[in-house]
Amino acid sequence: MARPPPRVFLIRHGETEWSLNGRHTGRSDIPLTARGEQQIKEKALLLVGEGRALDPKNLGVVFISPRIRAHKTFHLLFEHLPKFPDHIITEEAREWDYGNYEGLFKEEILAKQPGWDIWRDGCPGGESVDNMRSRVDGMIAKVKQPCRPALVSD
């Protein structure tokens, strides 16, 4: 029997102070708000578990950004299960690096660079569109691997 194609679920972290007020957040390590934690706990019971969209027996590996907001989201999603799924914390799964635009509001960025579009222009001092595309392509290649990679630690 042929192995079914892998499915990918992209899960954004819960609310942070910066996502709440509209600041661009990439490499800054901003924690979830109490409301953000509650959002994830509520979604976990709907999404994660036997027979649900995120059924642990069907998960190969979970890639997680090392930012505390992403790591906390992962733990909150799966904390009601007997064990956490296999996971890898990697910079490859992080958000866009906004560089000089980190922490700014869109209006502030547009004042510096009128007409700015992240998908066309990238971020000075951060990731270009090509950098982001390459990083995402690398993650897609990992997901498409027919077997889960062996993890080796020294």
Side-chain angles (χ1 to χ4, degrees):
M1 178 176 193
R3 183 181 174 146
R7 295 189 320 165
V8 175
F9 296 89
L10 297 176
I11 300 175
R12 180 158 168 83
H13 58 77
E15 177 188 87
T16 68
E17 286 298 327
W18 281 18
S19 67
L20 180 62
N21 66 30
R23 290 185 185 277
H24 284 75
T25 314
R27 64 182 175 226
S28 296
D29 213 3
I30 309 297
L32 299 177
T33 61
R35 180 176 154 190
E37 290 187 15
Q38 188 59 39
Q39 290 169 333
I40 298 303
K41 287 178 182 179
E42 290 170 5
K43 299 289 187 261
L45 298 175
L46 298 172
L47 294 173
V48 179
E50 188 174 341
R52 300 191 192 285
L54 296 173
D55 188 329
K57 73 177 181 285
N58 296 328
L59 294 178
V61 67
V62 178
F63 295 100
I64 308 167
S65 163
R67 303 304 173 267
I68 192 69
R69 60 189 175 270
H71 205 203
K72 182 72 171 181
T73 295
F74 167 76
H75 281 275
L76 292 172
L77 278 173
F78 294 98
E79 71 181 0
H80 66 283
L81 300 178
K83 70 175 210 150
F84 289 101
D86 291 343
H87 58 284
I88 299 171
I89 299 170
T90 175
E91 283 288 336
E92 293 172 288
R94 66 177 162 73
E95 294 185 51
W96 202 303
D97 182 344
Y98 287 100
N100 300 342
Y101 295 160
E102 181 80 8
L104 299 182
F105 295 104
K106 186 171 185 177
E107 298 76 26
E108 293 174 307
I109 297 170
L110 291 173
K112 292 174 180 276
Q113 185 178 344
W116 175 74
D117 180 337
I118 194 169
W119 303 106
R120 180 189 63 229
D121 305 320
C123 299
E127 280 185 293
S128 69
V129 173
D130 287 339
N131 294 147
M132 174 58 109
R133 183 181 305 116
S134 177
R135 186 161 54 87
V136 171
D137 285 348
M139 287 299 302
I140 291 170
K142 287 181 179 182
V143 169
K144 290 170 70 174
Q145 289 176 353
C147 297
R148 183 183 317 170
L151 298 178
V152 179
S153 63
D154 293 331

